[in-house]
Amino acid sequence: MELFATAGPALLDALALIAQPQQFAFLVLGVLLGLSVGVFPGLGGIAGLSLVLPFIFGMDPVAGLALMVGLIAVVPTSDTFASVLLGIPGSTASQATVLDGFPLAKKGEAGRALSAAFVSSLFGGLLGAMVLTAFILVARPLILAFDIPAMLAITLLGLSMVAILAGRIPLKGVVAAGMGLLLGTVGLGGAGGSPRMSTYDMPYLLDGFSLVIVGLGIFAIPEIVALLRQDRAISKSGDLGRGWLDGLRDWWRNIWLSVKCSAIGVMVGVIPGLGGSVVDWIAYGFTVQSAKDKSQFGKGDIRGVIGPESSNNAKEGGGLVPTLIFGIPGSGSMAVFLGGLALLGYDPGPHMVRNNLDITYTIVWSLALANVVGAGLCIFLANPIARLTTIRFTLIAPFLFMVIAFAAFQSRQSLGDLAALMAVGMIGIFLRRFEFSRPAFLIGFVLSAQAEAFANQVYQIAGSRLRRGGMEGMLDYVASPLVLAILALTVLSIWIGIKQGKQVLGNDTPPTGTKRAPVAFMLAITAYVAVTVWDASTIRYTGDKVFPLTVGIATLIGCVVLLARMRVAPEGHALFADNEQGGEDAEAPHGLWSTLGWFAALLAMSALFGFVIALAIFLVAFFRLRAQVSWARTLVLSAAGIALICVLAGTLGRDFPPGLLQEVVDLPWPFT
Amino acid sequence: MILKTTRRVAGAAAILAATTALSGAAFADAHGGVDLSGQTVEYVIPFSESGGSARWANFFAPLLSEHLPGNPTVVVRYRPGAGSTSGANWFQEQDTADGTLIFGTSGSTQFPYLLGDPRVRYEYNDWQVVLVSGTGGVAYLPADMAAMMDGLDATGLQGQEFIWGAQSATGLDLVPNLAWEMLGLDVQPVFGIEGRGDGRLMFERGEANIDYQTSSAYIRSVQPMVDSGMAVPMMSWGALDDDGNIVRDPTFPDIPTFAEVCEATPACETEGEAWDAWVTFFTAGFPAQKMIFLPGNAPQEVVDAYTTALREIIARDDFMELAAAELGVYPQMTGNAAQAAFRLGTRVDAETRAFVINWLEESYGVSLN
């Protein structure tokens, strides 16, 4: 344990390095950059890091580190703005925050939700750094204990969160999750490269759908459209009720929840290969499961914000462990970070902890410090920015359409991105309308690829163990104590979910109309799932076939049972929940399709004239015709929007979607 | 469209011929009047920000900015998708000839091209290569398995069942898969891992019992395992000398090459279609793994300006030190050497292609369309 003897001095060295004013200045610069990029939904740490990467080479190593770490640290903090204020998951780290954060904003408590989220982030980040300081010395054997069966078990634990988030009719949640899993299999199979629900004639589909597009489509588009139909501010009362001090108090009251969720964040974060995508859902599920009164979750329970936000910053710290001591990035942004480290002359790997312990600690504690600076700044900004929720939403929506279309386009830089966004957005709208759990759908999608890969790998390795070591050898592998413990947690989580999940969406009755619309949607889902099953059955490569086939058949059974229940159930049954038949949506002054039509028009015009020209037409038309503001304001707002998007694309070095026009004529940037 | 491509192919062929003829003389005049000052060079790679190619591109971008005439800003742009074929298809359509557009490819771009993947609509011979960066790879075994080898003869391993974590059948991992099969080993690839790092972790956890890593990852992460007795190097893939022969890898002079092990193992032959296929794909995947291209219509002086700038970069006193962590100690080839490596790494006989496609189908049930 000579390592511990060197840990103290290394820690002091690290703190001395960070405390230098120059390093601190770079850290703050990184934080500010991260904040500016992170507030735009869909543009996360990767976009920000790529922005600074050209300057990293040749920089003083500690300053370069501070810059990069500052940037990484605040992205899961700043993306909370979009999640809470607009219902748009800013990045994978804050998907679960949307569930309760956005309803709070609608209640006029955006300031409270934001400050609770930020102080949770801050705390999670600090706790994460403290745990890491000790843990990084002994992490290696512990991390190596997580073999593929254990990772599969954790993936299943993540999927088990569907149970508590399934909504009023659990089977509908299961079907939603099944659809998410199936959507995640679209494209070339990970193992054998067989096309699934796609062909070489449509190259876009071969790569599958990106998480950014699915996240924006499932959450952002339905919410933006629903709000836009109301023609009022996000905050129903039109002003801000409780402010940021209440949020801090809420956090303090739930400090233990925050501690526990931070611990979850660190633990899941350190396991390489899992990525951070499950963490916030596990934390959210845990928060709901462990709460006594579950009636307010999904409607604006502050604990639903504190839980996931405590975990997502702690996760970033945890994610550093595999990145630094194995040289294996835990996420996309960590991969870019690794590249940046190499440019500074550091070479992460097993020796990093042994030989460069001071640098390792510098990274860990820069992350903590950046969290404090970033979250502190955000708390300070929470109330002013929360004012956004008191502005008439019709004036905000076109800018949101602009930003999400731009963000979606960054995933593949093809018009297919815009079409995919629209298609997934439609699915999201219907899931919302007929009360299928959107979180369940997203959890399924997020975990699909890794569930399939791990399951295939475990199957193959276990088979080999069986041949070499007999039954005993195989059981030692697939049923190790660690795996059994995680599986026991999974079973517990499902049990709690089934028992108490119904409370999450409350016990009130949903609006229902005739059976026709819900049954038609159900039939459409069933048909799609049936086609998927047929498509999977035609695949020759077994490794690419089994997963979509199994999930497809299970989902199909769920669909058929639902249809059978729909046949016997009376018209007013919750099975036929249809939000167009009552409540907010039904009373909205604007129709669903005409509102969605505006967004569709923006995308269609982009395909014709390219994004910037389409945007100009869209903004002017929208402000004049839909928002009916004066010509002067129309022009000012439109110009501001176009300027914003040009500055954003210019600094990030991103292109705009080109249209047919650009095929014919060469236009200068930004019209290209 | 077809007409356009044909014209471009013809143009490119002419330029290529000119390049080869002139490249000796042209370097006398350093920058040939090319001046990129105030311009922005877009260095496009068909990969995302997080891969090895991104690291490679970000390593060269600032150096290019320093050494190109007029010190232009060099920015790396990412066009990922379809295993890098969509970015390459995009580059095929570009005709920016003034040197403000360069394109970086990797083995993942060459393999689909060599295999005739239906997504490939690009033609390497339309482009002009200015840099070829190589790497190497080392295969290693657990100590108990390594003890079963009789010197270089791998026959003792033939009854064993091996497992290793592989990415995909048609990617770079094709090279080790074929090598092991040629040695008569029963290696079962577990496909679908995210990166080679995950394969190494599987080895460390005892889930896999054979693996390989590219040079820099081997030095960084496998060497400690070798030092502690957990792992023993089995063979390197080797390197190419100036005449295109496979020789010992300069980074690992003490580790025998696959060619040597194959020679010593009765089951394996260093001639015939399997060997030809292995050499073709090894060359594309390792010694000629990463290349920088200019569009086919870029004039000779632009090509020369890049060649000169890259030569200056490679000749820098601190280049070796800078590159060690990123690229390993491999030759960075420009001019004629780059041309030669480019030709070796992008050319495949019809029989070799048919052999590999058939082998992928029979061994792994993987078909390309």
Side-chain angles (χ1 to χ4, degrees), chain A residues 15 47 140 246 281 344 362 370 427 440 547 592:
Chain A
L15 295 179
R140 207 175 156 80
D246 292 292
W281 290 115
L344 292 173
T362 307
I427 299 177
F547 186 80
L592 170 63

Side-chain angles (χ1 to χ4, degrees), chain B:
Chain B
M1 181 58 229
I2 293 167
L3 254 177
K4 201 171 153 195
T5 318
T6 325
R7 209 168 52 228
R8 205 176 278 159
V9 174
I15 290 166
L16 209 70
T19 316
T20 342
L22 288 174
S23 45
F27 300 120
D29 177 17
H31 292 138
V34 175
D35 183 14
L36 293 167
S37 52
Q39 309 246 46
T40 298
V41 173
E42 298 210 356
Y43 183 173
V44 180
I45 57 167
F47 299 95
S48 72
E49 290 91 335
S50 50
S53 288
R55 289 172 67 168
W56 171 74
N58 279 301
F59 173 78
F60 272 107
L63 293 171
L64 275 172
S65 172
E66 222 173 285
H67 290 273
L68 280 172
N71 305 102
T73 314
V74 180
V75 292
V76 180
R77 298 259 199 257
Y78 310 90
R79 285 191 165 264
S84 88
T85 56
S86 71
N89 287 336
W90 171 86
F91 182 68
Q92 184 73 24
E93 302 289 318
Q94 304 306 309
D95 50 9
T96 310
D98 58 0
T100 54
L101 174 69
I102 53 175
F103 187 63
T105 72
S106 96
S108 315
T109 327
Q110 285 164 61
F111 275 35
Y113 173 80
L114 294 175
L115 289 169
D117 186 304
R119 288 170 294 178
V120 170
R121 274 174 279 121
Y122 49 90
E123 174 51 59
Y124 266 99
N125 291 314
D126 288 1
W127 310 338
Q128 305 186 70
V129 67
V130 290
L131 177 80
V132 178
S133 290
T135 180
V138 180
Y140 56 98
L141 294 164
D144 55 334
M145 290 288 186
M148 293 182 199
M149 281 181 71
D150 176 16
L152 293 177
D153 185 350
T155 310
L157 296 172
Q158 279 170 356
Q160 300 299 316
E161 185 173 329
F162 290 96
I163 280 208
W164 82 296
Q167 286 171 272
S168 79
T170 54
L172 277 190
D173 293 347
L174 183 159
V175 174
N177 272 330
L178 186 55
W180 289 326
E181 177 155 323
M182 287 165 70
L183 291 173
L185 307 190
D186 175 17
V187 179
Q188 199 185 356
V190 173
F191 289 121
I193 61 163
E194 293 266 326
R196 287 256 39 88
D198 293 312
R200 194 184 71 238
L201 270 190
M202 281 174 68
F203 183 92
E204 276 192 68
R205 292 193 299 249
E207 293 175 296
N209 52 2
I210 193 167
D211 191 40
Y212 96 92
Q213 295 290 323
T214 52
S215 307
S216 52
Y218 181 86
I219 296 170
R220 183 169 60 229
S221 301
V222 183
Q223 194 60 49
M225 282 198 274
V226 172
D227 295 340
S228 68
M230 257 188 76
V232 174
M234 178 191 184
M235 58 195 178
S236 78
W237 305 136
L240 290 185
D241 68 8
D242 288 342
D243 305 321
N245 301 311
I246 294 182
V247 294
R248 284 229 174 167
D249 189 323
T251 314
F252 308 102
D254 300 330
I255 302 178
T257 63
F258 167 56
E260 294 171 57
V261 174
C262 184
E263 238 3 292
T265 306
C268 189
E269 283 180 8
T270 50
E271 55 188 19
E273 52 183 3
W275 175 255
D276 290 343
W278 188 83
V279 171
T280 303
F281 284 87
F282 154 72
T283 309
F286 295 90
Q289 189 191 55
K290 292 194 173 20
M291 308 192 213
I292 299 180
F293 290 96
L294 281 161
N297 60 344
Q300 188 58 42
E301 58 264 28
V302 172
V303 176
D304 293 344
Y306 269 91
T307 304
T308 311
L310 285 162
R311 286 204 171 150
E312 284 173 23
I313 292 170
I314 296 161
R316 272 168 74 129
D317 294 334
D318 55 350
F319 181 79
M320 270 302 164
E321 189 191 330
L322 293 172
E326 275 297 273
L327 315 168
V329 289
Y330 289 92
Q332 306 291 324
M333 291 165 275
T334 57
N336 285 336
Q339 286 291 339
F342 161 76
R343 272 194 296 273
L344 285 173
T346 55
R347 190 162 292 171
V348 64
D349 299 334
E351 303 93 76
T352 302
R353 174 186 287 179
F355 168 82
V356 173
I357 288 174
N358 184 45
W359 167 69
L360 287 172
E361 170 93 49
E362 281 189 355
S363 296
Y364 307 113
V366 169
S367 69
L368 277 166
N369 41 38

Side-chain angles (χ1 to χ4, degrees), chain A residues 81 98 100 107 175 275 311 368 547 557:
Chain A
F81 281 115
V98 174
D100 279 296
K107 284 191 201 165
V175 168
S311 75
F547 186 80
I557 293 172

Side-chain angles (χ1 to χ4, degrees), chain A residues 7 19 103 118 181 190 262 341 375 385 403 430 498 569 612 631:
Chain A
F118 295 139
L181 284 165
S262 308
L341 280 183
I385 294 189
V403 171
F430 283 121
I498 293 174
V612 174
W631 268 113

